Amino acid sequence: MRRGFTLLVAWVVVIGLVTTAISLAQEYPTFEVHEIIQYKALPQYSEAPELAEAVARGELPPVEERLPKKPAVIMTSGMSDGPGVYGDVWRTVSAVPTAGWNWAAGVVGGWFGIEECMQEGLVHTGMAWRLKTGEPGPNLATHWEWSEDGKTLTMYLIEGAKWSDGHPFTADDVLFTYYDCILDPHVPSWQGAGTWTVGGEVAQLEKVDDYTIRWHFAKPFPVYLLWYMGYLNFSVAPAHVLKPYHPKYNPEKTYEDFINALPPHKLPPVVLGAWVPVYFKEDEALIMKRNPYYWKVDETGKQLPYIGEFYFRKARAGIQRDLDLVAGTCDQTHLETPGIFTFISEQARLPGARFKIIPGRWTLTFALELNLSLYQGVKDERDRALRELFRNLEFRKAISHAIDRETIARTLVPGPMLRPLPSGFPSGADYYNAEAVISYPYNPAKAKELLAGLGFRDTDGDGILNWTSGPLAGENLTISVKVHEDQTACIDIVEMLVPMLEAVGIRLVPKIVPATVGQAMDTAGEFEFNMTRQDFLSAPYTVLASLAPVTAQTPNWHRAGPGDKRDLLPFEARMIEIVEALKYEVSYEKRKELFSELQKLWTENLYTIGVIEGIYNTAITKRFKNIPIGVPARLHQWFHLNVMQEQVWTPKEEQLPEFLPGVIVKYSKD
Ligand code: CA
């Protein structure tokens, strides 16, 4: 009877898996660039009613004068529902404090979509998933061309686009962003000179004219850099606003002044994005209104965005966004806490549910990082002995064989939304190749055998293996595992790993720390095991430097020690070569071959030890239109960029009242 029930459950799970696999394999449309976006003049333009009223009052120039001569036209052929109507508010939650608006100096606006509303890059990395090329799409750079020798890249900028205060956007903004923010070592930008060093030399950027820039590289075709020219890494900064605060242009200012030049209460900030913050109250809310100077239109000439307002409720924990969605006060969330997957799915299936689930990809990744550095964070002989042990493949195999991934997946969420991850990339990742994965699945007997082979024996009979040689001889084999307290799922997983490792004779001790402390421990290399969500692996080409020991800080689990000391493991030397080759590889097929080799090395050598992978689903209100079919919660970018928020609209009769109706973005004269 019991067996029959178990079998039935197993079958439901298997059928669920098959159905999910089929539904995930569904084709989503891909496009040529010109089917999604073009840059061209249209016979006429129109604007949101509140902006038309402001024009009538003499507070704004007419829409034709605010738009570029050739605005970016979001094409009907790339829309799921076609051109829309103005109005509505997009309600969501931000659970990270808003520190200010100087994004080029690494100042956080509050994540959760806030930065994507305001910032624009040279290229559009969130468009890549829908493009046949799989490459970044155009944005502020309308098109670009490589020289024949691959050592220069000329980019053409949109002409006549304006910042939200009406000031022209030009190549000067781009050069300021590159030289005075990204490359300036005193400015804590998201990327530094290391990323932009090609063939041993930092790439140079030349202003050809106001709307043409030219990159100069020491080595041909560093194509990976296109991925660093988009949102966040290269969100263009307003030079006319920031130069007066930068020590290079104003000797009376310090770098501290520059970094803090745009505090959160200084409203509205000057942006190129579709929405502009106009209201902020700490711990309460951030409200943004449409940018009157936004430089994108639809094919009928309507200035975008359609949705007039963004409302971010300020909260303490990310899970609040999911709860608000269910309560009907939030319009979208990406589901990253497996513990409530089932609850949200049940709510979405209820009759009259106001939201639906967009099935995502297998890009939610949970893995163990074993600290492989012999120098960074090594303070005593215990640290040294453990690192030596972690660097032994037989030990990493033992850990992998000790983990019952099926049980962890099913305990976290019954059903098909989680499954074992052997090691390496999640199966929904770009360039994933199932044939390049080598796995060491659950086999506790094998784990014990491997540990015995390494000399471990329970000499005192307490059930935990003892070291039998070296400085720790006689001690039990005890290992701490760092977990960040905000990563609920990682804590759940570690709680299940403790008895699994104990069953093969290892005592695992969870060390749960606040994220800020955990990040400091990462930097200092002061952890033994690290249980973490490896979101960055969903699009490996966009994070090449994080995949192998190519910078002193990467990968997290094998940082260089003081004086750049690092003893590479044999397979890491080849990984470095692969990553270097990938930087300059133009062909997708050849990249795939290289990534397959990297993935084989990663999984065969258990570079990290995978635990489970999950589907990164999106839950979204049913009233929104133009949500692209199959839009991923996380791939090269987060949902906010993947969806192209400016094209989203709501039918009139379903629109909600705005929190600040009739308010338009205005700047004081001083
Ligand atoms: Ca013992």
Side-chain angles (χ1 to χ4, degrees), residues 177-199:
T177 304
Y178 185 60
Y179 282 110
D180 301 327
C181 300
I182 294 174
L183 293 189
D184 189 327
H186 305 292
V187 177
S189 50
W190 299 106
Q191 297 294 327
T195 300
W196 294 89
T197 301
V198 174

Side-chain angles (χ1 to χ4, degrees), residues 14 157 287 484 504 514 583 666:
V14 169
L157 306 176
I287 304 178
H484 294 191
V504 302
K583 285 182 176 176
K666 274 191 224 169

Side-chain angles (χ1 to χ4, degrees), residues 457-466 474-477 505:
R457 271 182 296 125
D458 183 12
T459 47
D460 50 12
D462 66 351
I464 300 297
L465 294 168
N466 296 71
E475 287 185 27
N476 275 340
L477 178 51

Side-chain angles (χ1 to χ4, degrees), residues 92-101 108-112 114-115 264 279-288 311-318 320-321 324:
T92 187
V93 167
S94 153
V96 172
T98 292
W101 315 119
V108 169
W111 301 124
F112 288 79
I114 290 172
E115 348 286 298
Y279 172 93
F280 172 65
K281 197 162 177 197
E282 214 171 326
D283 299 329
E284 186 198 289
L286 169 66
I287 304 178
M288 301 196 195
Y311 176 86
F312 295 90
R313 180 185 165 205
K314 284 292 191 175
R316 291 273 163 88
Q320 192 65 48
R321 190 171 55 175
D324 281 10

Side-chain angles (χ1 to χ4, degrees), residues 335-336 341 362-366 533 535 612-616:
L335 301 168
E336 55 200 31
F341 282 179
W362 293 91
T363 56
L364 187 57
T365 312
F366 297 94
R533 228 174 61 203
D535 287 334
I612 50 169
E613 61 174 11
I615 303 179
Y616 229 138

